[in-house]
Amino acid sequence: MSDIDATAIPRGARASVETVLAAVWDDEMFTSNDVMPRVGLTRSTTIEAIDELIRFGVVEELPNARAGGDYRKGRPARRFAFRPDAASVVGVDAGRTHVIATVADLRGRPLARISRELTTDLDDALRRQEVVAAAIDAALAEARITRDGVVAVCVGVPAPVDSAGRSPVRHNEFWRRMNPDLVDTAAPWAPLVRVENDASLAAVAESAHGAATGCRNFIAVLAGDRLGSGVVIDGRLLRGAHGGAGELIPFDHVTGVGSADGIGVHVATWAREAAARGRIGARSRLAGLTAEELTAPVVFHAAQAGDPDAADIIARSARVITRVAAVFGGFFDPERIIFCGAIADSIESALVPARAMLQDEMDLPAPELVASPLGADVVAIGAVAAATESARAHLLAFASAPLTASSR
């Protein structure tokens, strides 16, 4: 499967075969009569395409209606099913301090997941490549799948990524350390390899499984440690010449925001500053906590419980959220801004006042502010969804032989 050969399916038949495959990918069971009106092909061409997909290994023929017990009269129709187990995909969330590798079938259903924690002194490029490769191999081993059984790999990183999967060199080289050409890690053995910015994959996840389902204009904001965004306008994920379309370092220069630090960092920092200056009341839920214990979730939960000191901090974060949303709204005119990552589980108490304030900040209609339902796994979920998307678009373009269970 690692040898790309465009002659695997005859060129003249490829278009009709790809059309039929796209139409049946999500079907549990189908007949040629089910497919014909959806693809606009003749019966003979449709059947030929289905037979080609059976030969290729991604569709199987089921027992006919008579054998299945549904036959009544007349000639029983041939019945078919897409084979999501014909091959596998791998999605990787390669964050600053963690690597999560997930193996899934062709419909994105997880088969195995491996998580590795990293320390911040392991920013060495070679070491990072090794950790990512080892996590992928460990997840494949857990799923009992060989590299030959993988058709697509997607890796998410905290850096801008261009269309070739490379990150630009910045003066501190952080982006290159986060993405030391990770596209080359799987390229020797995986037919389809994709590296994306982590916030862009959050947008993919929200579109496929989260708060943006059916929405064509939205922004997914990773808001925990650092602000990052995936921007989808008119149904298309924006990238830019160097992958920087969603990069938020320019917020360093925006009054009322002041940096690209995430909402979680702001909340924790303000709580620690208040404690150090003696501004936390003795009866506050935050009183007596160490700096390490004064985390964003703790402050959010205290505010939700009615703690006034915590509520003041959350109100301050709401003003930052409002300004961030107003900038996004003015530049991109989205329908919705989705706050993603681990912070999404507790950010609602800040979104409530931010929604009200945003109405007065904008000339355009204000976008809806929502918390993601996908939690801390949003990038890992998006990486699998993107790998599945790649397989769905290009599955038939590369293999020199049919997919078989023996490759797994």
Side-chain angles (χ1 to χ4, degrees):
M1 286 177 54
S2 59
D3 296 326
I4 298 176
D5 183 354
T7 64
I9 293 176
R11 181 174 298 178
R14 183 178 299 280
S16 59
V17 175
E18 289 178 342
T19 298
V20 171
L21 177 60
V24 305
W25 193 284
D26 297 315
D27 289 352
E28 295 302 324
M29 189 276 292
F30 63 91
T31 67
S32 59
N33 286 339
D34 297 327
V35 177
M36 284 170 50
R38 288 150 52 185
V39 298
L41 300 173
T42 65
R43 178 183 297 276
S44 62
T45 301
T46 300
I47 292 174
E48 288 173 2
I50 292 172
D51 285 338
E52 191 66 29
L53 290 172
I54 292 173
R55 184 193 71 80
F56 197 75
V58 293
V59 166
E60 62 181 340
E61 185 164 5
L62 301 176
N64 62 36
R66 179 184 288 113
D70 297 329
Y71 175 68
R72 295 183 182 277
K73 61 181 180 178
R75 183 179 179 181
R78 293 174 68 192
R79 305 189 306 167
F80 311 95
F82 175 76
R83 289 187 56 221
D85 64 341
S88 300
V89 302
V90 178
V92 182
D93 173 7
R96 171 70 184 273
T97 60
H98 66 266
V99 174
I100 300 170
T102 306
V103 179
D105 67 17
L106 289 176
R107 286 197 178 129
R109 292 181 292 209
L111 304 174
R113 169 185 163 120
I114 291 293
S115 179
R116 296 283 187 264
E117 294 299 317
L118 303 175
T119 57
T120 55
D121 61 349
L122 292 181
D123 279 349
D124 174 77
L126 180 59
R127 173 61 175 156
R128 188 167 175 81
Q129 290 174 332
E130 292 172 345
V131 170
V132 170
I136 292 173
D137 286 339
L140 289 173
E142 184 171 306
R144 297 183 179 180
I145 292 170
T146 67
R147 286 180 170 184
D148 287 345
V150 176
V151 295
V153 175
C154 179
V155 183
V157 297
V161 182
D162 66 19
S163 59
R166 316 288 179 180
S167 294
V169 177
R170 191 168 174 256
H171 60 84
N172 62 12
E173 296 189 351
F174 173 76
W175 291 340
R176 290 281 290 176
R177 292 205 309 273
M178 292 298 96
N179 178 25
D181 294 329
L182 291 176
V183 68
D184 297 331
T185 300
W189 54 270
L192 302 166
V193 182
R194 178 175 174 181
V195 178
E196 296 285 359
N197 169 259
D198 53 2
S200 293
L201 291 182
V204 172
E206 296 298 339
S207 181
H209 305 290
T213 303
C215 183
R216 291 178 53 80
N217 296 279
F218 70 93
I219 298 172
V221 181
L222 286 177
D225 294 333
R226 296 282 290 175
L227 290 176
S229 68
V231 181
V232 175
I233 300 298
D234 295 330
R236 299 187 64 180
L237 181 65
L238 302 187
R239 182 187 298 278
H242 308 100
E247 178 55 47
L248 300 184
I249 287 179
F251 273 120
D252 290 352
H253 309 290
V254 175
T255 302
V257 182
S259 76
D261 288 339
I263 303 302
V265 168
H266 282 304
V267 168
T269 299
W270 295 331
R272 291 162 188 167
E273 289 175 351
R277 295 173 182 174
R279 295 178 180 175
I280 300 295
R283 301 181 65 181
S284 170
R285 290 171 176 259
L286 307 182
L289 298 181
T290 66
E292 292 73 20
E293 293 169 333
L294 285 170
T295 62
V298 168
V299 179
F300 274 110
H301 292 151
Q304 291 166 356
D307 185 286
D309 294 318
D312 287 343
I313 294 171
I314 300 309
R316 189 174 175 183
S317 74
R319 291 192 288 273
V320 173
I321 290 171
T322 300
R323 184 56 54 89
V324 169
V327 172
F328 278 134
F331 276 115
F332 296 110
D333 189 23
E335 303 167 46
R336 193 171 301 160
I337 298 176
I338 305 163
F339 291 85
C340 310
I343 196 72
D345 293 339
S346 51
I347 202 172
E348 179 63 25
S349 58
L351 295 183
V352 172
R355 292 182 188 114
M357 290 187 286
L358 187 59
Q359 302 297 324
D360 296 328
E361 286 274 338
M362 296 190 59
D363 295 318
L364 289 167
E368 181 184 9
L369 306 183
V370 300
S372 168
L374 302 180
D377 282 343
V378 64
V379 176
I381 293 169
V384 171
T388 304
E389 182 181 273
S390 295
R392 191 166 188 152
H394 304 293
L395 182 64
L396 303 183
F398 60 81
S400 60
L403 305 176
T404 65
S406 62
S407 67
R408 303 188 59 201

